[in-house]
Amino acid sequence: MADLNKVMLIGRLTRDIELKYVSSGTAVGEVGMAVNRNYTKGNGEKVDETAFIEIVIWGKQAETANQYLSKGSSCFI
């Protein structure tokens, strides 16, 4: 049986997308994303955590993301 891993992230971009093209002409976009997590510990203490995640986008999606998204944009991946 095949395994499936699924991740959904909602956050903000930490920098503009760096768009590059590989030798075959395929677009590759690299960008950072900040995802916040808020929760309350058992003792009532509120905790805010931020995770910084590197994202790689390929092909037409990379070109479209580069056109419409920039640093600070909300993004759902």
Side-chain angles (χ1 to χ4, degrees), residues 40-57:
T40 304
K41 289 184 176 182
N43 62 4
E45 178 185 354
K46 292 189 179 197
V47 179
D48 296 328
E49 291 180 353
T50 303
F52 295 96
I53 301 164
E54 293 297 313
I55 307 293
V56 178
I57 311 166

Side-chain angles (χ1 to χ4, degrees), residues 5-75:
N5 293 318
K6 186 174 186 178
V7 176
M8 290 188 265
L9 302 170
I10 298 176
R12 294 198 176 267
L13 301 183
T14 60
R15 62 180 187 273
D16 289 338
I17 297 172
E18 299 171 28
L19 188 64
K20 301 175 185 175
Y21 292 88
V22 294
S23 59
S24 65
T26 303
V28 179
E30 297 180 3
V31 68
M33 184 177 190
V35 178
N36 295 318
R37 176 179 176 219
N38 304 315
Y39 63 94
T40 304
K41 289 184 176 182
N43 62 4
E45 178 185 354
K46 292 189 179 197
V47 179
D48 296 328
E49 291 180 353
T50 303
F52 295 96
I53 301 164
E54 293 297 313
I55 307 293
V56 178
I57 311 166
W58 288 85
K60 181 68 175 165
Q61 287 182 341
E63 294 174 334
T64 303
N66 186 53
Q67 182 179 359
Y68 291 106
L69 301 174
S70 60
K71 179 180 178 180
S73 295
S74 291
C75 189

